Amino acid sequence: MSRSSIIVAPGPWDPEPWRREFEAASGGRPVHVWPQDRARVGDGPYVVCAWKADPKVFEEFPAPRAVISLGAGVDHLQGLRTRPDVPVVRVIDPDLTMRMVEYVTFAVLYLHRQIGPYQAEQRRHAWRPKIQPAASRVRVGIMGVGVLGEACAKTLAQLGFDVAGWARTPREGSPFPVFAGQDGFDEFLQRTDILVSLLPDTPETVGLVGRNVFARLARDGSLGGPSFINAGRGKTVVEGELVEALRSGMLTGAVLDVFNTEPLPSDSPLWALDNVLITPHVAADSDPEVIVAQIMRDVERLEKGEPLSNTVDMGRGY
Ligand code: NDP
Ligand code: OXD
């Protein structure tokens, strides 16, 4: 098969590092950054490598050989759900996975070691030791134990936390318990002190996490109440109900990286809550220096007619 041009549409990200890495790794294939290079794009086959790009890119390039997400999530490619003819590929990379493991481990330890309250006491010059339970007495429940959730679960289990996962489909042979579907949801929530969401944004998960979920978390835990970490997708959470749960004490705290609207609007009540730590969607960034090499291997596979590495079932949504 003939070689493909590479159309790079990195949306809100700085395009220059992507241009640089693609040009260095493309083996002479033409690289066009969209929309900046619009005028230079010629005819011939192409792949589109995109991140939260304006959907207009697919009006201008309606017949890509493949679409490659520059990140792990593919919710930004929802428009392709009706295009089963176009293979969609996502990033699975140890660098990105480790970044998420770092973030989730940090967030769990932040809540477990009660760092938020200690920071508030430091500001008041107050020396007030709290009871500090061992990790083995803290039950962490991870919603979404795919590539990222499973890696986080294994690291947290190594640190001694009592970890379980929740997934869409049952699985066997997991080193930690995995509850599945609506049938396993109650039992999973009732044994969870720190709830971590690494769910993708799909038609099934939108608005899944709200009052109804927070109310079912364990109240008999060693940390005095349940808490929440979201590094998956903001749209899986009913944000008004999250705010209410954090104000009422239904949740003792939260560490949040993703939101209904990003950037988080300056008038969001979340900013002002003392028991919330906010980061601006940085849990696991895509590093062009490592991701582009993986993408180019897939482009070569495509051109040789070989199966692509990490294709996504867009009908399922992840
Ligand atoms: P995967 O596709 O590998 O795993 C998704 C997991 O979610 C699977 O365990 C899947 O279940 C589960 N799941 C999906 N739908 C449901 C459902 N309806 N009910 C219960 N479980 C469900 O994704 P990754 O682990 O690689 O990434 C997860 C998400 O993390 C990404 O989609 C992205 O949104 C987000 N992300 C955020 C980043 C950040 O910086 N904040 C960076 C990278 C990713 P099953 O195992 O049964 O298929
Ligand atoms: C991703 C992200 O999905 O950064 O990769 O959110």
Side-chain angles (χ1 to χ4, degrees):
M1 221 188 254
S2 56
R3 282 154 59 102
S4 311
S5 298
I6 316 288
I7 313 297
V8 190
W13 288 343
D14 177 3
E16 289 317 313
W18 293 99
R19 182 198 296 283
R20 203 167 45 241
E21 293 305 322
F22 271 109
E23 284 181 349
S26 71
R29 292 169 187 81
V31 174
H32 303 287
V33 174
W34 188 91
Q36 288 84 345
D37 299 348
R38 209 175 262 177
R40 292 205 276 124
V41 178
D43 291 333
Y46 52 84
V47 297
V48 176
C49 304
W51 181 252
K52 294 188 182 171
D54 187 323
K56 282 194 189 112
V57 70
F58 297 109
E59 288 168 23
E60 227 164 286
F61 298 98
R65 275 178 163 175
V67 173
I68 301 179
S69 170
L70 296 175
V74 292
D75 42 299
H76 62 105
L77 297 171
Q78 287 186 17
L80 295 172
R81 288 204 178 126
T82 52
R83 294 283 310 271
D85 55 314
V86 180
V88 175
V89 173
R90 58 160 287 191
V91 170
I92 296 183
D93 186 273
D95 175 86
L96 191 147
T97 301
M98 269 321 292
R99 288 166 191 251
M100 186 58 88
V101 171
E102 283 171 17
Y103 185 89
V104 170
T105 305
F106 154 76
V108 168
L109 287 170
Y110 176 88
L111 295 165
H112 167 224
R113 302 303 304 231
Q114 305 170 79
I115 300 301
Y118 282 130
Q119 280 179 312
E121 278 162 15
Q122 181 178 341
R123 283 192 286 275
R124 291 196 296 270
H125 299 202
W127 181 276
R128 287 213 186 87
K130 300 176 202 312
I131 291 170
Q132 180 58 62
S136 57
R137 294 195 48 228
V138 177
R139 296 160 294 182
V140 179
I142 305 185
M143 304 171 76
V145 275
V147 175
L148 303 180
E150 183 171 314
C152 294
K154 285 179 177 162
T155 297
L156 291 168
Q158 265 169 13
L159 288 175
F161 289 99
D162 181 359
V163 181
W166 184 66
R168 198 173 59 90
T169 49
R171 69 179 64 174
E172 279 167 18
S174 167
F176 53 89
V178 176
F179 299 84
Q182 284 306 320
D183 290 349
F185 204 25
D186 235 7
E187 205 184 333
F188 165 78
L189 293 173
Q190 281 167 15
R191 54 80 60 213
T192 293
D193 299 312
I194 300 180
L195 181 68
V196 179
S197 179
L198 283 171
L199 287 171
D201 168 356
T202 74
E204 277 185 36
T205 62
V206 169
L208 183 79
V209 184
R211 186 185 306 117
N212 185 32
V213 163
F214 303 136
R216 286 187 278 164
L217 293 168
R219 310 262 139 210
D220 59 352
S222 57
L223 291 173
S227 53
F228 179 54
I229 296 166
N230 192 9
R233 279 293 180 267
K235 291 212 162 51
T236 59
V237 173
V238 184
E239 224 158 72
E241 294 181 6
L242 171 62
V243 169
E244 205 181 280
L246 286 158
R247 280 185 175 146
S248 69
M250 185 183 270
L251 287 175
T252 57
V255 178
L256 305 172
D257 187 56
V258 288
F259 303 90
N260 285 186
T261 304
E262 295 178 10
L264 182 63
S266 59
D267 61 354
S268 166
L270 285 168
W271 289 110
L273 295 181
D274 288 342
N275 52 353
V276 175
L277 181 68
I278 289 173
T279 52
H281 199 146
V282 289
D285 283 347
S286 294
D287 180 349
E289 283 187 32
V290 287
I291 304 288
V292 167
Q294 181 200 118
I295 292 175
M296 288 314 301
R297 283 195 290 278
D298 258 334
V299 171
E300 282 165 20
R301 284 190 197 100
L302 185 75
E303 290 170 353
K304 288 185 194 152
E306 294 172 3
L308 299 173
S309 58
N310 304 311
T311 46
V312 174
D313 175 350
M314 287 304 282
R316 196 179 63 168
Y318 69 101

